[in-house]
Every structure is written in structure tokens, then in C-alpha cells.
Amino acid sequence: MKRAIAKAKAIDTTQGVRPAMQARSLRKRYDLLKAGRKLLHHRVLEEIPIKEICAEANCTVGSFYSRFEDKESYFDALIAESCQEMLNRAEEAFDLQSWEGISPSQIADQVVCFLIDLFQGEYSSILTEAFLRESKGGHQSTPMRDVGYAFINTVGRLLLPYIPETIHPDPLRGLAFGLQVLYGSLHNARLRDAGPIAFHTSEFEQSLCLMFKRYLGL
């Protein structure tokens, strides 16, 4: 329940989104956002008309505009919802107590696998669309940056004690850059998959794990 409330709040506070006050309105908003997430797996946002989003969600265009000011605010809400969900998953996956007695090498492997799952799974299209918008010099996705910083802090609780200061005098900065390199590699693979190692292979996963661990000195 707490996580559902946090997700609704993240959407409600997005500019251009009209707060949903009733359960039925919340459900319609959820259906519209779910439709966009599905359609984005096949096309970029600018190619998807609002009418198609509404048809996929079994809603009217009027229902769309009663909840979102325009398609930009709609996508901002989609980002806000996805970011809150990703943050919830990260906090659950990397709960401090759950990893007691586990080696830092295994933790680092799981961090990489967690991020790969995001970029290959249901959030992949949202991450790609947000990246494309920012690369064109357009609207910046503050929720995406915020969830990135939050993820650093979440996994940092587990990994920072094991990062050698002889390699990284500032372990937090070292971890942050390591994750930045992972994000960049995953964005590039998701957008182009130009190789030499294919994105959807075990070799790609193993190579990223090895690179991340060696950079951190684990």
C-alpha cells in the first residue's frame, strides 16, 4: 500500500497531470499509462497518436485530456510512475539485511543483472524514450536522474565498505562512476546493439559484471 501511494503521489506531482481523486479515475489513469508502456515497445512517442493510446486503454480522448494536459505531460507521468516502480524494486532487491554474509563480488554481479533486467524488460522502452528526448536537447527527465542517485545510495550501503580506498580514495564517487559506465553501456546496447558482443547474450552480462567488479577493485 505504501508503495502504491508513493507511485500515485509521484504521478500527481508531475506538471500537467490532473490529480486523480477517486478509485475509478486512478484505474483509468493506470490503464492509459499501461497502454503507453506497451505501445512504446514498438515505436517512439512522437509516432503514437493520442487516439491510439486511448484505443489501447479502452478510454475516450476526453478521458485522456481530463487526466493529462498533453502528450508531453502524459509521458512525464509515465516516467514518474516507472521511476517510482524501479526505485521500489531496487530497495526491495538490495535490502541491507537480505545481503548479510554475501560476498561483495556476488552483490556486484546482482547489481549488474538488476540493471540489465531493467534495460531488457518492461522498462526498456521508457528508458530509451527518455534518453532519446534528452539527447535531442529537449525536456530533461528529473525523475530519471533522481532514481539514478537513489540507486547509487541504495547499492552503496552494500558495496561501499568493500571498495578499496587505495583504488578509489572516494569510494562513493568511484561507485557512482562505475554505475554511470554501466548505464551508458546499457543505453547504447538498447539503442543500437552494435556489438561486438550482442546485448541479449550471457556473454554480454558476464563481461559487464567482470568490468564493473574490476573497476571497483572487488
Side-chain angles (χ1 to χ4, degrees):
M1 178 62 71
K2 183 178 179 181
R3 290 177 177 176
I5 292 173
K7 185 167 69 172
K9 183 179 180 181
I11 299 170
D12 285 342
T13 54
T14 301
Q15 186 175 357
V17 176
R18 298 174 178 86
M21 305 303 293
Q22 299 178 351
R24 182 175 179 275
S25 183
L26 279 169
R27 183 66 198 179
K28 284 290 185 181
R29 186 170 73 181
Y30 171 78
D31 290 342
L32 285 163
L33 293 173
K34 182 180 178 181
R37 186 181 291 181
K38 178 180 178 180
L39 293 170
L40 279 169
H41 273 290
H42 307 286
R43 285 172 290 167
V44 297
L45 185 68
E46 63 185 24
E47 297 175 353
I48 305 172
I50 289 174
K51 285 184 178 179
E52 188 172 350
I53 295 171
C54 295
E56 180 67 35
N58 196 27
C59 295
T60 65
V61 173
S63 182
F64 179 95
Y65 282 110
S66 70
R67 291 164 176 81
F68 307 101
E69 187 175 294
D70 50 28
K71 195 157 69 169
E72 287 298 308
S73 62
Y74 167 78
F75 184 68
D76 288 341
L78 196 53
I79 291 176
E81 178 193 51
S82 299
C83 282
Q84 189 60 51
E85 289 180 358
M86 286 188 282
L87 184 56
N88 289 343
R89 290 191 181 190
E91 290 175 345
E92 182 178 349
F94 299 103
D95 175 69
L96 195 58
Q97 293 182 344
S98 301
W99 290 88
E100 288 184 1
I102 306 299
S103 72
S105 177
Q106 289 176 294
I107 297 170
D109 284 342
Q110 189 56 42
V111 168
V112 174
C113 292
F114 180 86
L115 291 175
I116 289 176
D117 285 344
L118 291 183
F119 278 83
Q120 291 183 345
E122 62 179 299
Y123 299 106
S124 59
S125 56
I126 306 298
L127 291 165
T128 298
E129 183 69 29
F131 178 78
L132 289 172
R133 294 170 93 211
E134 291 185 14
S135 68
K136 293 176 182 177
H139 185 93
Q140 288 195 343
S141 173
T142 300
M144 282 293 182
R145 292 199 303 273
D146 289 346
V147 79
Y149 290 130
F151 187 71
I152 291 170
N153 291 328
T154 298
V155 301
R157 294 195 298 264
L158 299 171
L159 288 175
L160 287 178
Y162 301 103
I163 298 175
E165 291 189 8
T166 53
I167 297 177
H168 298 288
D170 184 342
L172 179 59
R173 192 166 182 81
L175 174 62
F177 183 73
L179 290 171
Q180 182 180 344
V181 171
L182 286 181
Y183 292 150
S185 299
L186 289 166
H187 271 304
N188 184 62
R190 170 76 174 101
L191 286 170
R192 300 176 183 86
D193 199 12
I197 301 175
F199 186 27
H200 292 272
T201 62
S202 59
E203 184 183 5
F204 182 87
E205 179 181 307
Q206 292 164 5
S207 298
L208 271 189
C209 288
L210 182 60
M211 180 189 70
F212 186 57
K213 289 185 292 188
R214 285 189 173 177
Y215 171 74
L216 294 180
L218 301 176

